[in-house]
Amino acid sequence: MSLPLDIVILAAGKGTRMVSELPKVLHRLAGLPLLQHVLNTARRLNPAKIIVVYGHGGETVPQRIDDPAIAWVKQEPQLGTGHAVQQAAPHLDAGGVTLVLYGDVPLIQQATLETLLQAASDDAAALLTVDLPDPAGYGRIVRDANGDIAAIVEHKDASTAQHAIREINTGVMALPTARLKDWLARLSNDNVQREYYLTDVIGMAVADGVRVYASQPRHRWEVLGVNSPAQLAHLERLYQHEQAQRLLEQGVRLADPKRLDVRGELTCGRDVEIDINCIFEGKVTLGDNVRIGANCVLRDVSVAADTRIAPFSLIEEAQVGADCRIGPFARIRPGTQLAQAVHIGNFVEIKNSQVDDGSKINHLSYVGDSTVGKKVNVGAGTITCNYDGVHKHRTVIEDGAFIGSDTQLVAPVTVGRDATIGAGSTITKDTPAEQLTLSRAKQISINGWKRPVKKQ
Ligand code: UD1
Ligand code: MG
């Protein structure tokens, strides 16, 4: 199909059964609003225009999606799917084809839509249909004696005989736009629901001698809609199942494909192993031989080859180099870059810091706004005091420095190359290279001192 394509996404409906203040199409699946999934798929079809019909929830939907490439059309009140497309009609290019999608059917796939669009032209319409064992509630595909599509009849308007039809309208259809404009203008709401049905255009197409083809989605889950939290949770699991299968096919070893959540894009090298209950958000890249322990959360992170991340680690907006050892219970915050063979141990928080090759921060420390050189050893309980209540200051620890346990580094401060800081020090001034610096009261012992005793 080489005709210009416009895509109309219907997203004005109420979503009463979500029992939520949030408009239905903004509820999240795999971390993204339902509508965003549909938009992402729509965009891959290279349409001339994407028009979203919104209504319920007011301006919240266009505000949250905030995409200048979308034409937003408000439908107020909502008088049916035909009425919804009528609102979009002025935006549609009469020389092309219009594809109708639903904002609450998030899993529709590009390949299915491409097949559907191949059947549509300036004198042919195409419907996406499925056969359901229980078709109750859906519009039925009525075929004539030759098996050609004659009309769509809504469940509530259907006869008993029509109720037996199992082929249903998914709602996704592709229509010749010039004809569509004419059909839309002729819709009536003379039906049980007193709505303007988009589905009535199919009968009109047949009457006008326009052929109507049907095609089926590759997977039945593609056309499932979200009407309730239960359905949303169901679709989330279907989506996650698909992600997990894709990763397994690529050779990623998942301890349990049912206990993995990918809310974004996870790219893996060879021989990656992921233990149970891990969540990957945004863009995450794992290099060859990376191992992720149980219960880790990674958001917008790249991890280079051979690195191990032990259980219960949270890493956000960070770059982790090759051959590092992270966790368990590590928290790595935005703006952190770890070079090669860095060790970050348990109960260590790193924020907006660069840690160079071979350095170790293994226990109970906070390192923020810091530049840590190569082969630095940061002892247990070390804290960078980076915040004076108003400003953040940097701490610089040069190559080879050794920071004794329970040290406070009051920034801005620099620890020189190969310097040693005695345990328990509060460092407020730059420390010279290669020397031992310590700031603590000298240890004394008091001879003859007695513990107080309780009076009888
Ligand atoms: C519709 C179809 C039905 C199909 C079913 C598939 C019609 C008349 N019926 O029925 O054949 O089997 O979907 O799920 O088209 N919407 C608006 N504005 C409106 C009404 C609806 O934007 O005024 C949007 C909804 O937000 C939703 C979609 O259109 O995304 C479908 O609306 P819905 O009320 O679910 O249609 P159904 O009656 O289920
Ligand atoms: Mg519906």
Side-chain angles (χ1 to χ4, degrees):
M1 195 210 60
S2 52
L3 295 170
L5 171 68
D6 290 327
I7 300 180
V8 179
I9 302 176
L10 303 188
K14 212 164 173 193
T16 314
R17 281 191 283 154
M18 290 306 290
V19 200
S20 169
E21 294 302 312
L22 193 67
K24 178 163 73 176
V25 293
L26 292 181
H27 282 266
R28 283 169 194 279
L29 182 131
L32 285 183
L34 296 175
L35 178 56
Q36 193 64 58
H37 286 271
V38 183
L39 287 166
N40 291 349
T41 306
R43 201 153 285 135
R44 284 187 219 117
L45 299 168
N46 297 316
K49 263 191 203 157
I50 297 178
I51 301 125
V52 179
V53 182
Y54 71 105
H56 189 77
E59 302 308 311
T60 322
V61 178
Q63 276 164 10
R64 293 277 184 90
I65 299 291
D66 191 27
D67 180 339
I70 297 170
W72 295 94
V73 175
K74 193 164 190 175
Q75 185 199 16
E76 185 78 84
Q78 288 107 47
L79 303 178
T81 52
H83 180 253
V85 179
Q86 276 172 357
Q87 312 310 304
H91 292 268
L92 302 175
D93 177 351
V97 163
T98 297
L99 173 68
V100 178
L101 302 174
Y102 288 178
D104 58 1
V105 179
L107 302 185
I108 191 79
Q109 301 292 298
Q110 180 182 359
T112 286
L113 295 174
E114 280 167 351
T115 305
L116 182 82
L117 286 169
Q118 271 158 23
S121 67
D122 55 2
D123 64 351
L127 295 178
L128 194 67
T129 72
V130 283
D131 290 313
L132 294 182
D134 177 14
Y138 292 97
R140 304 299 205 285
I141 306 298
V142 179
R143 290 175 180 267
D144 64 18
N146 297 325
D148 293 331
I149 291 173
I152 301 175
V153 180
E154 290 305 298
H155 180 89
K156 287 183 179 152
D157 300 288
S159 65
T160 312
Q162 287 168 336
H163 278 156
I165 299 171
R166 290 188 172 175
E167 187 184 10
I168 64 102
N169 171 36
T170 64
V172 174
M173 51 180 87
L175 304 150
T177 305
R179 302 296 197 124
L180 173 64
K181 288 184 187 230
D182 170 49
W183 299 327
L184 288 172
R186 284 154 49 197
L187 287 179
S188 91
N189 66 349
D190 184 14
N191 53 52
V192 173
Q193 303 189 79
R194 296 262 143 233
E195 279 182 14
Y196 295 89
Y197 292 161
L198 178 61
T199 46
D200 283 351
V201 305
I202 298 307
M204 294 179 182
V206 174
D208 286 353
V210 171
R211 286 160 303 155
V212 181
Y213 296 104
S215 76
Q216 279 71 47
R218 299 213 173 164
H219 315 277
R220 195 176 285 170
W221 48 256
E222 291 182 45
V223 298
L224 293 174
V226 173
N227 296 297
S228 64
Q231 287 174 350
L232 179 59
H234 178 58
L235 261 64
E236 178 77 38
R237 285 306 102 205
L238 288 167
Y239 179 89
Q240 295 303 341
H241 176 80
E242 289 305 308
Q243 301 287 308
Q245 293 311 309
R246 188 180 58 82
L247 291 166
L248 290 168
E249 280 160 21
Q250 290 167 5
V252 178
R253 261 96 70 191
L254 302 175
D256 183 354
K258 286 196 164 65
R259 285 181 288 174
L260 166 84
D261 283 80
V262 180
R263 301 173 188 159
E265 248 176 73
L266 173 61
T267 311
C268 294
R270 290 182 85 79
D271 293 302
V272 167
E273 292 182 22
I274 300 173
D275 210 333
I276 60 166
N277 293 338
C278 291
I279 301 177
F280 299 92
E281 297 182 336
K283 267 204 163 72
V284 176
T285 310
L286 306 179
D288 296 347
N289 301 308
V290 166
R291 282 199 218 159
I292 311 287
N295 301 295
C296 288
V297 178
L298 275 66
R299 178 171 66 79
D300 293 316
V301 166
S302 69
V303 180
D306 302 312
T307 285
R308 307 259 163 94
I309 301 189
F312 298 98
S313 295
L314 168 61
I315 310 181
E316 298 173 284
E317 293 175 42
Q319 289 157 23
V320 180
D323 206 23
C324 290
R325 299 288 173 269
I326 311 293
F329 299 100
R331 180 171 184 209
I332 298 180
R333 292 173 52 197
T336 297
Q337 285 112 35
L338 308 179
Q340 276 199 40
V342 170
H343 290 197
I344 303 295
N346 44 214
F347 309 108
V348 171
E349 176 178 347
I350 312 278
K351 188 212 76 171
N352 188 31
S353 295
Q354 290 74 48
V355 182
D356 212 337
D357 295 351
S359 288
K360 296 178 182 174
I361 309 168
N362 270 332
H363 327 272
L364 298 154
S365 291
Y366 172 62
V367 173
D369 302 312
S370 299
T371 305
V372 179
K374 294 185 182 19
K375 294 211 178 262
V376 167
N377 195 315
V378 175
T382 295
I383 307 290
T384 55
C385 308
N386 58 326
Y387 187 49
D388 59 15
V390 183
H391 301 106
K392 304 270 170 72
H393 301 282
R394 287 200 76 83
T395 299
V396 177
I397 306 175
E398 293 179 354
D399 294 352
F402 181 100
I403 314 292
S405 294
D406 196 25
T407 292
Q408 298 99 56
L409 298 164
V410 182
V413 73
T414 296
V415 176
R417 193 185 181 90
D418 292 318
T420 301
I421 307 296
S425 295
T426 301
I427 300 298
T428 55
K429 291 181 286 198
D430 292 354
T431 73
E434 292 173 16
Q435 294 182 24
L436 169 66
T437 300
L438 68 168
S439 79
R440 61 184 183 221
K442 272 228 164 77
Q443 181 169 323
I444 56 166
S445 301
I446 297 171
N447 193 15
W449 179 83
K450 291 266 178 320
R451 278 191 209 164
V453 285
K454 252 189 192 149
K455 285 189 184 127
Q456 293 302 329

